[in-house]
């Protein structure tokens, strides 16, 4: 019955297809691709983004009844962001790196951990939550954050939200940009970004190369991060009705994690490393993607987005054992060998129809993904570390029981989006989706296979009213669905996670579109919450979590010389409302502060942005806590200040930035099991010299 109801809902929404098609004129011609490309390129160069590729329909953010933040390329450059984690700091509703500097892109959106919710060019990078990735920001054009359930547009998704990274693609001008960076803790970085456009003022036939090599130590002894990244992309010249862009990239990472230190750290240096200096991580990521669009003469267009990703990760890192305390720290070796292959495809038909008083946008699409994950893990107990007399080396090993699973995760989703604009003021969105999923896990150790097939209907509905060109209040309701690939204590596959959200807000716009922002209130519920058990060998579903809060965000080029961005988050309710552990009910969700705020500015002394420029920023994080079982850590509030100064010439530029100007001593977060404390970065300097031709 559920499947029938789902198809009935899709059919009802689809009834409008023949009517609007008949109303369209067969001789309607879309604007040329070149004009569209120039428009998109220009929007990418704005300080405050007017659109976001994650919307899919191409609708302006001002007319999108959902909270979406975009960190543009100009913001990334002005603030000298070194990672996706940096870019997410200061975004309303996002807590970035709650587990510290562990080498992965960790983030919480609207009180819900969303680290596995990373997309590249609109396609999911991986579904498993173990051994996550850290994308290189050198190849990123913008960082888009969607808050709330996203299943209608993106299928399998947790309800907190997602982060979509748009990659740098060929542009319509030939240029060669390069930079050298040196900073605290032996930071050394070299980047080159070269674009060749043979057709003047056109990105057809253009090719782009981005490459980066970097190395940096850490405030913690023996911890380091090495990274190499290269990507090349090409835009084919297929005429006025077709667009085709392809990109291939490779990333290699070698690093030792900052694990943190036990909570009874008083009297000990915060620089102490409790692992082994010669045991770290090696990660390789290969990716190929393509984006194709065909424009029909009858007011329709076809979009296809494809990506194939190969991810390998190997580690023999040493970690503290559960309950480790100073001075004698019990330890383990965590052997991990993970080989992932992911294929994702999204294709849709889209059209716009002008029906007099009603403007109608429709999109009908199907997307699918198949992921193969081969994951071996073994935890061995080794000799302890004496913090009073640091002597590294593995002198004894007690071999643990391995786990080795081969997981196949695949889904197919059919979605339909209907957007109506009445009398140029009212905007109604009705969207529906049905997903068919299958999870299959083969256990090499037990020599058995378990399978689970499921399907789900998700939807969203929103209503917006444009008061004028500056204010547009809206309300929306949406649901989410996420199959779980984790297995329980008995080797069984766990239930899918589900979520729902009600949101009401207002979109803001001003200064001829140079100012973009929003304010929103939301009520979000996440069910069948899945977490790793305290032993780390299996997963459990703890129950239900609820978050309610308010967000406000604004980005603006106030004048050609002054840029400002600001954000505020208030989450009074972030609690566990149902749990298998009765004592957890009513407790606050880990690492979620009630208040968070940020403000950053950049001022150019010349209206053409040449010559000197200065900038400053401040970021406040309210107090939070982390607890698991009998472990509890209080995380005090903190305020950080950043400053920068630079000089821009025609063919070169220089910038000096200081982060955590007053050398604030603060706790950034804890490990997921709430046993180890991670301290934030002390004051750091970074000098960047760039060349432009």
């Amino acid at each position: 019955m559920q499947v029938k109801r789902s198809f009935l809902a899709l059919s009802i929404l689809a009834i409008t297809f023949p009517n609007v098609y008949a109303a369209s004129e067969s001789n309607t011609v879309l604007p040329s691709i070149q004009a569209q490309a120039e428009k998109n390129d220009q929007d990418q160069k704005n300080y405050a983004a007017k659109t976001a590729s994650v919307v899919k329909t191409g609708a302006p953010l001002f007319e999108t009844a959902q909270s979406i933040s975009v960190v543009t390329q100009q913001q990334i450059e002005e603030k000298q962001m070194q990672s996706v984690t940096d870019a997410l700091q200061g975004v309303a509703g996002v807590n970035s790196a709650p587990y510290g500097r562990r080498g992965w892109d960790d983030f919480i959106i609207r009180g819900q951990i969303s680290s596995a919710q990373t997309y590249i060019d609109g396609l999911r990078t991986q579904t498993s939550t173990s051994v996550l990735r850290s994308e290189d920001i050198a190849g990123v054009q913008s960082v888009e954050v969607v808050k709330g359930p996203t299943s209608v547009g993106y299928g399998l998704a947790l309800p907190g939200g997602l982060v979509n990274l748009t990659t740098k693609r060929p542009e319509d001008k030939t240029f060669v940009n390069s930079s050298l960076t040196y900073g605290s803790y032996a930071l050394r970085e070299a980047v080159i970004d070269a674009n060749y456009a043979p057709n003047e003022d056109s990105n057809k036939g253009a090719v782009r190369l981005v490459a980066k090599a970097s190395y940096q130590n850490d405030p913690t002894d023996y911890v380091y991060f090495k990274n190499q990244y290269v990507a090349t992309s090409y835009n084919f010249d297929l005429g006025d009705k077709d667009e085709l862009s392809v990109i291939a990239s490779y990333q290699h990472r070698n690093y030792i994690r900052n694990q943190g230190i036990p909570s009874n750290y008083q009297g000990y240096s915060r620089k102490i490393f409790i692992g082994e200096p010669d045991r770290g991580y090696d990660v390789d990521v290969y990716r190929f993607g393509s984006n194709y669009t065909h424009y029909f003469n009858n007011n329709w267009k076809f979009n296809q987005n494809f990506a194939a990703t190969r991810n390998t990760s190997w580690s023999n890192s040493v970690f503290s054992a559960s309950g480790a305390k100073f001075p004698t720290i019990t330890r383990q070796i965590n052997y991990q060998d993970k080989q992932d292959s992911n294929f994702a495809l999204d294709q849709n038909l889209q059209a716009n129809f002008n029906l007099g008083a009603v403007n109608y946008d429709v999109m009908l699409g199907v997307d699918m993904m198949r992921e193969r994950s081969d994951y071996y893990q073994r935890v061995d107990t080794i000799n302890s570390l004496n913090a009073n007399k640091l002597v590294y080396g593995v002198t004894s090993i007690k071999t643990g029981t391995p786990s080795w699973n081969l997981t196949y995760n695949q889904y197919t989703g059919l979605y339909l989006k209907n957007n109506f604009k009445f009398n140029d003021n009212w905007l109604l969105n009705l969207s529906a989706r049905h997903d068919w999923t299958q999870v299959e896990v083969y256990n090499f150790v037990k020599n058995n296979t378990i399978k689970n097939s499921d399907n789900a209907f998700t939807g969203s509905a929103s209503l917006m009213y444009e008061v004028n060109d500056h204010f547009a209040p809206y309300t929306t309701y949406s649901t989410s669905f996420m199959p779980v690939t984790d297995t329980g204590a008995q080797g069984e596959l766990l239930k899918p996670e589900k979520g729902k959200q009600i949101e009401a807000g207002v979109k803001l716009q001003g200064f001829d579109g140079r100012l973009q922002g929003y304010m929103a209130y939301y009520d979000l519920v996440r069910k069948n919450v899945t977490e790793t058990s305290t032993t780390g060998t299996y997963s459990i579903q703890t129950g239900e979590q609820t978050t309610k809060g308010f967000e406000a965000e604004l980005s603006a080029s106030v004048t050609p010389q002054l840029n400002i961005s600001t954000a505020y988050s208030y989450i009074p309710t972030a609690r566990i409302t149902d749990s298998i552990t009765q004592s957890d009910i009513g407790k606050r969700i880990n690492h979620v502060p009630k208040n968070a705020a940020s403000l950053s500015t950049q001022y150019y002394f010349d209206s053409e942005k040449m010559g000197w420029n200065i900038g400053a920023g401040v970021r406040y994080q309210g107090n939070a806590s982390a607890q698991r079982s009998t472990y509890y850590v209080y995380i005090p509030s903190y305020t950080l200040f950043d400053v920068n100064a630079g000089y821009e010439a025609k063919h070169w530029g220089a910038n000096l930035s200081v982060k955590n100007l007053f050398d604030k001593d603060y706790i950034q977060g804890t490990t997921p099991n709430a046993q180890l404390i991670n301290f934030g970065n002390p004051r750091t300097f970074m000098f960047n010299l760039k060349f432009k031709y």
Side-chain angles (χ1 to χ4, degrees), residues 27 60 97 121 343 349 353 384 392 449 519 523 546 606 666:
N27 61 353
D121 294 329
F343 299 89
L349 284 168
F353 302 95
S384 300
Y392 294 99
T449 299
M519 295 185 294
D523 185 340
T546 299
D606 181 79
Y666 66 101

Side-chain angles (χ1 to χ4, degrees), residues 7 38 41 59 71 74 92 132 146 153 172 250 314 361 433 442 516 553 558 585 662:
F7 274 115
E38 289 178 352
D41 288 345
V71 183
Q74 189 173 350
L132 298 175
V146 185
D172 57 1
Y250 168 70
W314 184 88
D361 282 300
R433 179 188 180 97
Y442 173 69
Q516 298 288 328
E553 190 172 85
V558 180
I585 297 177
F662 300 110

Side-chain angles (χ1 to χ4, degrees), residues 418-493:
N418 293 282
N419 292 290
F420 306 89
K421 189 171 186 178
F422 303 91
N423 300 318
D424 293 328
N425 294 106
W426 290 96
L427 291 93
L428 173 67
N429 170 268
L430 298 172
S431 298
R433 179 188 180 97
H434 198 99
D435 280 292
W436 296 265
T437 68
Q438 179 175 296
V439 178
E440 177 181 330
V441 180
Y442 173 69
N443 189 315
F444 285 96
V445 177
K446 297 180 179 179
N447 192 28
N448 67 353
T449 299
I450 53 176
K451 295 182 180 180
N452 185 21
S453 298
D454 213 325
N455 67 88
F457 174 79
T458 54
S460 69
S462 66
L463 183 65
M464 171 182 278
Y465 179 72
E466 291 188 14
V467 178
N468 48 40
D469 291 337
H470 308 297
F471 302 97
Y474 69 90
T475 183
T476 181
Y477 174 79
S478 53
T479 60
S480 69
F481 167 73
M482 180 69 181
V484 176
T485 60
D486 299 24
T487 55
Q490 306 303 318
E492 77 282 9
L493 281 168

